[in-house]
Amino acid sequence: MPVNPDGPTEIPVTFAEAGLVKVEVRSYVGSEFVGGYTENVSVRDLPTVESADFSFPEHDGVVDRPGSFTFRPGRTAVVAYEYSFGDGNLLRVDAAADGTAVLHWTPTEPGWYALTVRSVSADGTVSETQEHQFNVIDTKPSVYSSTYYEYGAWGGVGMPGEFQFDTVMPDVDAYVYRLNDGPEQVVDTDSSWTRVMLTPDRSGSNMLTVRTRFLDGSFSPTRTYTFEVSDAPVVTSSDYPENDSAGQPGQTGRFTFNPGRPGVTEYRYVLEYSGEEQVVAAGADGRATIEITPTHSGYTLLTVTSRTADGTVSPERRYYFRVREPRVNVSSAYDEYSPRGGVGSVGTFGVYTEISEVTTFEYQLNGGAWQSVPKKPDAFVTDITVTMDRNGANLISVRGRTASGDQTPQTDYPFLVGTAPLVASGTYPAGQWSGGVGVAGEFTFTQGSPGVTEFEYAVDDGQPVTVAANAAGVATATFTPTSAGSYTMRVRGRTADGVWTDTTSYYFLVNYS
């Protein structure tokens, strides 16, 4: 082929097949070969997908609004296209004489779509697959409820449920909604979503219609949300609210059964721990009220069904309520399994009760005089501190008292007190930074069990030192730290007959400057 002497020479090439094709070019001056070039060219036959209605990010599709796609061939002799919207269904559209095709399509659901397209030639050759991604929005508002789902029967007559409205459209002013044949309601919003509480007044199928009102006064199309309301009876109780804590064992509560369907003549119910079915007649209004006196604390299940005059039985309603535990709960590092501390040590006991009316806790140690401490109004636990007066088995008894003078049952909490001595220091208080290098500190040891005549102490890995106790079982020792940081002093006492007490570990901190 002649060369253009004034610039590049363009040579049209028509590739017969897709794939990797080697192109070789040779140049001559006259008949003399002067050079060559070889390049591997990737030849593809992908069709082209174009759309003025469905293209990301320029044009989102809209639910129920028709649009179209244009398919253009990536090879010759194309007679059709096969396409899929990602649902597994491969469909076909014929091509025009020029190899193009137009697909008309109306989306019915919002979301992200991936349209895959491949061309088919007259000889049956199938091209590579092209993918065209786009988004479809819905101008109708979306409706969701975690109480009344669109599938299955939920809730009950007179049971309120939360419904959320949302939209992808901008410039929202309000939502306009109607439940069944009730009046149209308006809820204003300063964002794209809002929520309302609705209480169905009928069982069976219910219909909620919602539309968006925009700032310019226009409206969106209407969304219809259909949900099923259970016709099981609805249980209410102000004494023992559902899924809440109230009352206490022996305290009678009233429960009302409300009909979920017309014509209810009786109710049958079972209290979880009794297991016996009871029957109560419905009044003229279809309701019935019973009294239940719980015998134990914790969660209780009340199961109720209704019956009409012709014997039709409703679905069952499961009503959970929680009875408060009246006894005071006691917790402490002191327990009945491992001795701790010694005589004279101070122990802390955390107490709390589920009876919110309690204003004061009363306690006694080992049958001594009753003392009281006010309940902390803003804390879950109130602390009681006592000074141990005996080794071995001990007992703290606690009860709560209300402002009206009523008291809770008594809780007895057994625990063990050891024989460890008490250690104290004014210069080096336990767990605090104090003193300094070279600053001597005096440490006082007090017997944690009667009859101690001497104490042995050691600081960290140092050698044990023995000091004599006075007649009251008290001794003092002096320690001068040689470096800053943390120290642990271990102290134990010994009685005249050579018996060692438990060991106390006393931790203190020495200042760096």
Side-chain angles (χ1 to χ4, degrees):
M1 179 175 183
V3 174
N4 179 4
D6 299 322
T9 300
E10 293 185 359
I11 304 173
V13 177
T14 300
F15 296 100
E17 296 293 336
L20 195 62
V21 179
K22 183 166 68 174
V23 177
E24 296 180 300
V25 181
R26 295 181 180 181
S27 61
Y28 295 86
V29 175
S31 60
E32 182 181 356
F33 174 73
V34 293
Y37 176 78
T38 301
E39 181 174 338
N40 290 320
V41 177
S42 177
V43 178
R44 307 193 67 179
D45 60 356
L46 287 164
T48 301
V49 180
E50 301 171 352
S51 179
D53 305 301
F54 308 101
S55 61
F56 181 81
E58 293 85 3
H59 302 289
D60 286 331
V62 177
V63 171
D64 295 334
R65 187 175 72 187
S68 65
F69 303 88
T70 299
F71 304 153
R72 301 189 185 280
R75 62 183 303 133
T76 58
V78 168
V79 296
Y81 294 89
E82 294 177 333
Y83 64 94
S84 172
F85 284 98
D87 55 4
N89 293 323
L90 192 62
L91 305 175
R92 182 183 174 103
V93 59
D94 291 333
D98 61 357
T100 64
V102 176
L103 172 65
H104 297 282
W105 182 69
T106 301
T108 58
E109 295 292 336
W112 186 257
Y113 287 80
L115 170 64
T116 56
V117 183
R118 63 186 186 183
S119 64
V120 181
S121 299
D123 61 0
T125 301
V126 177
S127 73
E128 296 178 79
T129 299
Q130 178 69 274
E131 184 177 85
H132 179 79
Q133 297 186 352
F134 60 96
N135 187 41
V136 173
I137 63 174
D138 196 344
T139 57
K140 299 176 186 176
S142 63
V143 179
Y144 171 77
S145 175
S146 59
T147 307
Y148 291 100
Y149 299 96
E150 287 187 278
Y151 305 100
W154 306 92
V157 175
M159 292 182 64
E162 182 180 274
F163 293 78
Q164 296 182 8
F165 307 154
D166 199 0
T167 181
V168 297
M169 303 300 290
D171 302 325
V172 177
D173 179 41
Y175 289 96
V176 181
Y177 64 94
R178 184 197 306 272
L179 179 59
N180 296 319
D181 52 0
E184 199 167 55
Q185 307 285 334
V186 177
V187 56
D188 295 326
T189 180
D190 55 4
S191 65
S192 66
W193 74 280
T194 192
R195 55 191 171 194
V196 298
M197 296 296 295
L198 300 177
T199 304
D201 61 0
R202 68 191 67 173
S203 58
S205 181
N206 282 247
M207 185 172 67
L208 174 64
T209 56
V210 185
R211 54 183 178 148
T212 310
R213 188 178 72 197
F214 301 105
L215 293 173
D216 63 1
S218 63
F219 291 89
S220 72
T222 298
R223 167 74 64 191
T224 299
Y225 184 89
T226 303
F227 59 97
E228 191 84 8
V229 176
S230 171
D231 60 355
V234 174
V235 181
T236 58
S237 175
S238 59
D239 298 317
Y240 289 98
E242 187 174 17
N243 296 319
D244 200 359
S245 297
Q248 51 188 300
Q251 194 171 84
T252 300
R254 291 168 61 86
F255 296 77
T256 298
F257 303 153
N258 302 275
R261 59 169 64 169
V264 170
T265 57
E266 70 174 26
Y267 295 94
R268 300 192 179 191
Y269 64 96
V270 177
L271 199 60
E272 179 183 36
Y273 51 77
S274 72
E276 297 180 3
E277 186 177 70
Q278 306 289 330
V279 181
V280 59
D285 60 357
R287 293 180 170 85
T289 298
I290 64 167
E291 291 186 344
I292 294 175
T293 304
T295 59
H296 67 278
S297 61
Y299 277 101
T300 298
L301 172 62
L302 174 63
T303 304
V304 186
T305 57
S306 66
R307 282 170 167 74
T308 55
D310 62 2
T312 302
V313 181
S314 74
E316 68 179 27
R317 175 71 63 189
R318 298 168 67 86
Y319 183 92
Y320 287 93
F321 61 98
R322 189 178 186 281
V323 182
R324 296 180 299 178
E325 169 56 62
R327 292 184 180 275
V328 176
N329 183 283
V330 181
S331 61
S332 177
Y334 284 85
D335 59 38
E336 59 181 321
Y337 307 106
S338 302
R340 185 180 182 87
V343 172
S345 61
V346 176
T348 300
F349 297 81
V351 296
Y352 73 90
T353 178
E354 294 183 6
I355 308 303
S356 57
E357 297 88 345
V358 166
T359 58
T360 304
F361 290 105
E362 299 174 343
Y363 66 95
Q364 66 173 185
L365 181 63
N366 296 320
W370 284 94
Q371 302 180 65
S372 64
V373 59
K375 176 186 175 184
K376 288 185 178 179
D378 300 321
F380 181 68
V381 174
T382 298
D383 288 336
I384 295 174
T385 57
V386 297
T387 300
M388 306 308 172
D389 60 4
R390 68 182 64 173
N391 304 114
N394 283 250
L395 183 73
I396 186 171
S397 301
V398 185
R399 64 194 182 198
R401 187 175 293 277
T402 68
S404 61
D406 295 331
Q407 66 181 37
T408 68
Q410 178 176 307
T411 298
D412 292 328
Y413 182 89
F415 62 96
L416 297 176
V417 175
T419 59
L422 301 179
V423 181
S425 175
T427 309
Y428 293 104
Q432 299 181 30
W433 288 98
S434 54
V437 176
V439 178
E442 187 175 87
F443 294 80
T444 300
F445 310 146
T446 305
Q447 64 182 6
S449 179
V452 170
T453 58
E454 65 178 9
F455 295 92
E456 177 188 86
Y457 72 94
V459 180
D460 292 339
D461 296 328
Q463 292 298 314
V465 178
T466 301
V467 293
N470 61 20
V474 179
T476 59
T478 301
F479 173 74
T480 303
T482 58
S483 62
S486 63
Y487 288 82
T488 300
M489 177 181 285
R490 285 173 291 277
V491 184
R492 61 178 180 169
R494 184 162 57 180
T495 60
D497 57 3
V499 177
W500 289 103
T501 69
D502 298 333
T503 298
T504 295
S505 292
Y506 184 85
Y507 176 77
F508 61 99
L509 301 160
V510 177
N511 286 327
Y512 282 87
S513 59

Coordinates of all heavy atoms in Angstrom, one line a residue, residues 242-299:
E242 N -47.2 -5.9 80.4 CA -46.5 -6.9 79.6 C -45.1 -6.5 79.4 O -44.7 -5.4 79.2 CB -47.2 -7.0 78.2 CG -46.6 -8.1 77.3 CD -47.3 -8.3 76.0 OE1 -48.1 -7.4 75.6 OE2 -47.2 -9.4 75.4
N243 N -44.2 -7.6 79.6 CA -42.7 -7.4 79.5 C -42.2 -6.3 80.4 O -41.2 -5.7 80.0 CB -42.4 -7.1 78.0 CG -42.7 -8.3 77.1 OD1 -42.5 -9.4 77.4 ND2 -43.2 -8.0 75.9
D244 N -42.8 -6.2 81.5 CA -42.3 -5.2 82.5 C -42.3 -5.9 83.9 O -42.8 -6.9 84.1 CB -43.2 -4.0 82.5 CG -42.5 -2.8 83.1 OD1 -41.4 -2.9 83.5 OD2 -43.2 -1.7 83.1
S245 N -41.6 -5.2 84.8 CA -41.5 -5.7 86.2 C -42.4 -4.9 87.1 O -42.4 -3.7 87.0 CB -40.0 -5.5 86.7 OG -39.1 -6.3 85.9
A246 N -43.2 -5.7 87.8 CA -44.2 -5.0 88.7 C -44.6 -6.0 89.8 O -44.3 -7.2 89.7 CB -45.4 -4.6 87.9
G247 N -45.3 -5.5 90.8 CA -45.8 -6.4 91.9 C -44.8 -7.2 92.5 O -43.5 -7.0 92.4
Q248 N -45.2 -8.2 93.3 CA -44.4 -9.2 93.9 C -45.2 -10.4 94.3 O -46.4 -10.3 94.3 CB -43.7 -8.6 95.1 CG -44.5 -7.9 96.1 CD -43.8 -7.1 97.2 OE1 -43.0 -7.8 97.9 NE2 -43.9 -5.8 97.3
P249 N -44.6 -11.5 94.6 CA -45.4 -12.7 95.0 C -46.4 -12.4 96.1 O -46.1 -11.7 97.1 CB -44.3 -13.7 95.5 CG -43.1 -13.3 94.7 CD -43.1 -11.8 94.7
G250 N -47.6 -12.9 95.9 CA -48.7 -12.7 96.9 C -49.5 -11.4 96.6 O -50.5 -11.2 97.3
Q251 N -49.1 -10.6 95.6 CA -49.8 -9.4 95.3 C -50.7 -9.6 94.2 O -50.2 -9.9 93.0 CB -48.7 -8.3 95.0 CG -49.3 -6.9 95.0 CD -48.2 -5.8 95.0 OE1 -47.7 -5.5 93.9 NE2 -47.8 -5.3 96.1
T252 N -52.0 -9.5 94.4 CA -53.0 -9.8 93.3 C -53.0 -8.7 92.3 O -52.9 -7.5 92.6 CB -54.4 -9.9 94.0 OG1 -54.3 -11.0 94.9 CG2 -55.4 -10.2 92.9
G253 N -53.1 -9.1 91.0 CA -53.2 -8.2 89.9 C -54.4 -8.5 89.0 O -54.9 -9.7 88.9
R254 N -55.0 -7.5 88.4 CA -56.2 -7.7 87.5 C -55.7 -7.7 86.0 O -54.9 -6.9 85.6 CB -57.2 -6.5 87.7 CG -57.8 -6.6 89.1 CD -58.6 -5.3 89.4 NE -59.7 -5.0 88.4 CZ -60.9 -5.5 88.5 NH1 -61.2 -6.3 89.5 NH2 -61.8 -5.2 87.6
F255 N -56.2 -8.6 85.3 CA -55.9 -8.8 83.9 C -57.2 -8.7 83.1 O -58.2 -9.4 83.4 CB -55.2 -10.1 83.6 CG -53.9 -10.2 84.3 CD1 -53.8 -10.5 85.6 CD2 -52.7 -10.0 83.6 CE1 -52.5 -10.6 86.3 CE2 -51.5 -10.1 84.2 CZ -51.4 -10.4 85.5
T256 N -57.3 -7.9 82.0 CA -58.5 -7.8 81.2 C -58.2 -8.4 79.8 O -57.2 -8.2 79.2 CB -58.8 -6.3 81.0 OG1 -59.2 -5.8 82.3 CG2 -60.1 -6.2 80.1
F257 N -59.1 -9.3 79.4 CA -59.1 -9.9 78.1 C -60.0 -9.1 77.1 O -61.2 -9.0 77.4 CB -59.5 -11.4 78.2 CG -58.8 -12.2 79.1 CD1 -59.3 -13.3 79.7 CD2 -57.5 -11.9 79.5 CE1 -58.6 -14.1 80.6 CE2 -56.7 -12.6 80.4 CZ -57.3 -13.8 81.0
N258 N -59.5 -8.7 76.0 CA -60.2 -7.9 75.0 C -60.4 -8.7 73.8 O -59.4 -9.4 73.3 CB -59.5 -6.6 74.7 CG -59.2 -5.8 76.0 OD1 -60.1 -5.0 76.4 ND2 -58.1 -5.9 76.6
P259 N -61.6 -8.7 73.2 CA -61.8 -9.6 72.0 C -61.1 -9.1 70.8 O -60.9 -7.9 70.5 CB -63.3 -9.5 71.8 CG -63.7 -8.1 72.4 CD -62.8 -7.9 73.5
G260 N -60.6 -10.1 70.0 CA -59.9 -9.8 68.7 C -60.8 -10.0 67.6 O -60.5 -9.8 66.4
R261 N -62.1 -10.5 67.8 CA -63.1 -10.7 66.8 C -64.4 -10.6 67.4 O -64.6 -10.6 68.6 CB -62.9 -12.2 66.3 CG -63.1 -13.2 67.4 CD -63.2 -14.6 66.8 NE -62.0 -15.0 66.2 CZ -61.7 -16.3 65.8 NH1 -62.7 -17.2 66.0 NH2 -60.6 -16.6 65.2
P262 N -65.5 -10.3 66.6 CA -66.8 -10.2 67.1 C -67.4 -11.5 67.6 O -66.9 -12.6 67.2 CB -67.6 -9.7 65.9 CG -66.6 -9.3 64.9 CD -65.4 -10.1 65.1
G263 N -68.3 -11.5 68.6 CA -69.1 -12.6 69.0 C -68.3 -13.5 70.0 O -68.7 -14.6 70.2
V264 N -67.3 -13.0 70.7 CA -66.6 -13.8 71.7 C -67.5 -14.0 72.9 O -68.1 -13.0 73.5 CB -65.3 -13.1 72.1 CG1 -64.7 -13.8 73.3 CG2 -64.3 -13.1 71.0
T265 N -67.6 -15.2 73.4 CA -68.5 -15.5 74.5 C -67.7 -16.0 75.8 O -68.2 -15.9 76.9 CB -69.5 -16.6 74.2 OG1 -68.8 -17.8 73.7 CG2 -70.5 -16.1 73.1
E266 N -66.5 -16.5 75.6 CA -65.7 -16.9 76.7 C -64.2 -16.9 76.4 O -63.8 -16.9 75.2 CB -66.1 -18.3 77.1 CG -65.7 -19.4 76.2 CD -66.0 -20.8 76.7 OE1 -66.9 -21.0 77.5 OE2 -65.3 -21.8 76.3
Y267 N -63.4 -16.9 77.4 CA -62.0 -17.0 77.3 C -61.5 -18.2 78.1 O -62.0 -18.5 79.2 CB -61.3 -15.7 77.8 CG -61.7 -14.5 77.1 CD1 -62.7 -13.7 77.5 CD2 -60.9 -14.2 75.9 CE1 -63.0 -12.5 76.7 CE2 -61.2 -13.0 75.2 CZ -62.3 -12.2 75.6 OH -62.6 -11.1 74.9
R268 N -60.4 -18.8 77.6 CA -59.8 -19.9 78.3 C -58.3 -19.5 78.5 O -57.7 -19.0 77.5 CB -59.9 -21.2 77.6 CG -61.3 -21.6 77.4 CD -61.5 -23.0 77.0 NE -62.9 -23.4 76.8 CZ -63.4 -24.6 76.7 NH1 -62.6 -25.6 76.6 NH2 -64.7 -24.8 76.5
Y269 N -57.8 -19.7 79.7 CA -56.4 -19.2 79.9 C -55.7 -20.2 80.8 O -56.3 -20.9 81.6 CB -56.4 -17.8 80.6 CG -57.0 -17.7 81.9 CD1 -56.3 -17.8 83.1 CD2 -58.4 -17.5 82.1 CE1 -56.8 -17.7 84.3 CE2 -59.0 -17.4 83.3 CZ -58.2 -17.5 84.5 OH -58.8 -17.4 85.7
V270 N -54.3 -20.2 80.6 CA -53.5 -21.1 81.4 C -52.3 -20.2 82.0 O -51.7 -19.5 81.2 CB -52.9 -22.2 80.6 CG1 -51.9 -23.0 81.4 CG2 -54.0 -23.1 80.0
L271 N -52.1 -20.3 83.3 CA -50.9 -19.7 83.9 C -49.8 -20.7 83.9 O -50.0 -21.8 84.4 CB -51.3 -19.2 85.3 CG -50.4 -18.1 85.9 CD1 -50.4 -16.9 85.1 CD2 -50.9 -17.8 87.3
E272 N -48.7 -20.2 83.4 CA -47.5 -21.1 83.1 C -47.3 -22.1 84.2 O -47.2 -23.3 84.0 CB -46.3 -20.3 82.9 CG -45.0 -21.0 82.6 CD -43.9 -20.1 82.5 OE1 -43.8 -19.0 83.2 OE2 -43.0 -20.4 81.7
Y273 N -47.1 -21.6 85.5 CA -46.7 -22.6 86.5 C -47.8 -23.4 87.1 O -47.5 -24.4 87.8 CB -46.0 -21.8 87.6 CG -46.7 -20.6 88.2 CD1 -47.8 -20.8 89.1 CD2 -46.3 -19.3 87.9 CE1 -48.4 -19.7 89.6 CE2 -47.0 -18.2 88.4 CZ -48.0 -18.4 89.3 OH -48.7 -17.3 89.8
S274 N -49.0 -23.1 86.8 CA -50.1 -23.9 87.3 C -50.5 -25.0 86.3 O -50.8 -26.2 86.7 CB -51.4 -23.1 87.6 OG -52.0 -22.7 86.4
G275 N -50.4 -24.7 85.0 CA -50.7 -25.7 84.0 C -52.2 -26.1 83.9 O -52.5 -26.9 83.0
E276 N -53.0 -25.5 84.7 CA -54.5 -25.8 84.6 C -55.2 -24.8 83.8 O -55.1 -23.6 84.0 CB -55.1 -25.9 86.0 CG -54.4 -26.9 86.9 CD -55.0 -27.0 88.3 OE1 -56.0 -26.2 88.5 OE2 -54.6 -27.8 89.1
E277 N -56.1 -25.2 82.8 CA -56.8 -24.3 82.0 C -58.0 -23.8 82.8 O -58.8 -24.6 83.5 CB -57.3 -25.0 80.8 CG -58.0 -24.1 79.8 CD -58.4 -24.7 78.5 OE1 -59.3 -25.6 78.5 OE2 -57.8 -24.4 77.5
Q278 N -58.2 -22.5 82.8 CA -59.4 -21.9 83.4 C -60.3 -21.3 82.4 O -59.8 -20.9 81.3 CB -58.9 -20.8 84.4 CG -57.9 -21.2 85.4 CD -58.4 -22.1 86.5 OE1 -59.6 -22.0 86.8 NE2 -57.6 -23.1 87.0
V279 N -61.6 -21.1 82.7 CA -62.6 -20.6 81.8 C -63.3 -19.4 82.4 O -63.6 -19.5 83.6 CB -63.6 -21.7 81.4 CG1 -64.6 -21.1 80.4 CG2 -62.9 -22.9 80.7
V280 N -63.4 -18.3 81.7 CA -64.2 -17.2 82.2 C -65.1 -16.7 81.1 O -64.7 -16.6 79.9 CB -63.2 -16.1 82.7 CG1 -62.3 -15.6 81.5 CG2 -64.0 -14.9 83.3
A281 N -66.3 -16.4 81.4 CA -67.3 -15.9 80.4 C -67.0 -14.4 80.1 O -66.6 -13.6 80.9 CB -68.7 -16.0 81.0
A282 N -67.3 -14.1 78.8 CA -67.1 -12.7 78.3 C -68.4 -11.9 78.7 O -69.5 -12.5 78.7 CB -66.8 -12.7 76.9
G283 N -68.2 -10.7 78.9 CA -69.4 -9.8 79.1 C -70.0 -9.4 77.8 O -69.6 -9.9 76.7
A284 N -71.1 -8.6 77.9 CA -71.8 -8.2 76.7 C -70.9 -7.4 75.7 O -71.1 -7.5 74.5 CB -73.0 -7.3 77.1
D285 N -69.8 -6.8 76.2 CA -68.9 -6.1 75.3 C -67.8 -7.0 74.8 O -66.9 -6.5 74.2 CB -68.3 -4.9 76.1 CG -67.6 -5.2 77.3 OD1 -67.5 -6.5 77.7 OD2 -67.0 -4.3 78.0
G286 N -67.9 -8.3 75.2 CA -66.9 -9.2 74.7 C -65.6 -9.3 75.6 O -64.7 -10.0 75.3
R287 N -65.6 -8.5 76.7 CA -64.4 -8.5 77.5 C -64.6 -9.3 78.8 O -65.8 -9.6 79.2 CB -64.1 -7.0 78.0 CG -63.6 -6.1 76.8 CD -63.3 -4.7 77.3 NE -62.6 -3.9 76.3 CZ -63.2 -3.3 75.4 NH1 -64.5 -3.3 75.3 NH2 -62.5 -2.6 74.5
A288 N -63.5 -9.6 79.4 CA -63.6 -10.3 80.7 C -62.4 -9.9 81.5 O -61.3 -9.6 81.0 CB -63.6 -11.8 80.5
T289 N -62.5 -9.8 82.8 CA -61.4 -9.4 83.7 C -61.2 -10.5 84.8 O -62.2 -11.0 85.4 CB -61.7 -8.1 84.4 OG1 -61.8 -7.1 83.4 CG2 -60.6 -7.7 85.4
I290 N -60.0 -10.9 85.0 CA -59.7 -11.9 86.0 C -58.7 -11.4 87.0 O -58.1 -10.3 86.7 CB -59.1 -13.2 85.4 CG1 -57.8 -12.9 84.7 CG2 -60.2 -13.8 84.4 CD1 -57.0 -14.2 84.3
E291 N -58.5 -12.1 88.1 CA -57.5 -11.7 89.1 C -56.5 -12.9 89.2 O -56.9 -14.0 89.2 CB -58.1 -11.4 90.4 CG -58.9 -10.1 90.5 CD -59.3 -9.7 91.9 OE1 -59.3 -10.6 92.7 OE2 -59.7 -8.6 92.1
I292 N -55.2 -12.5 89.2 CA -54.1 -13.5 89.4 C -53.2 -13.1 90.5 O -52.8 -11.9 90.6 CB -53.3 -13.7 88.1 CG1 -54.1 -14.2 87.0 CG2 -52.1 -14.5 88.4 CD1 -53.4 -14.3 85.6
T293 N -52.9 -14.0 91.4 CA -52.0 -13.7 92.5 C -50.7 -14.6 92.3 O -50.7 -15.8 92.6 CB -52.6 -14.1 93.9 OG1 -53.8 -13.4 94.1 CG2 -51.7 -13.7 95.0
P294 N -49.6 -13.9 91.8 CA -48.4 -14.7 91.5 C -47.9 -15.3 92.8 O -47.9 -14.7 93.9 CB -47.5 -13.6 90.9 CG -48.4 -12.5 90.4 CD -49.5 -12.5 91.4
T295 N -47.3 -16.5 92.6 CA -46.7 -17.2 93.8 C -45.2 -17.2 93.8 O -44.6 -17.6 94.8 CB -47.2 -18.7 93.8 OG1 -46.7 -19.3 92.5 CG2 -48.7 -18.8 93.9
H296 N -44.6 -16.7 92.7 CA -43.1 -16.7 92.6 C -42.7 -15.5 91.8 O -43.5 -15.0 91.0 CB -42.6 -18.0 92.1 CG -42.9 -18.2 90.6 ND1 -44.1 -18.7 90.2 CD2 -42.1 -18.0 89.5 CE1 -44.0 -18.8 88.9 NE2 -42.9 -18.3 88.4
S297 N -41.5 -15.1 92.0 CA -40.9 -14.0 91.2 C -40.4 -14.4 89.9 O -40.3 -15.6 89.6 CB -39.8 -13.3 92.0 OG -38.7 -14.2 92.3
G298 N -40.1 -13.5 89.0 CA -39.5 -13.8 87.7 C -40.6 -13.7 86.6 O -41.7 -13.3 86.8
Y299 N -40.2 -14.2 85.4 CA -41.1 -14.1 84.3 C -42.2 -15.2 84.4 O -41.9 -16.3 84.7 CB -40.3 -14.3 82.9 CG -39.7 -13.0 82.4 CD1 -38.4 -12.7 82.6 CD2 -40.5 -12.0 81.8 CE1 -37.8 -11.5 82.2 CE2 -39.9 -10.8 81.4 CZ -38.6 -10.6 81.6 OH -38.0 -9.4 81.1

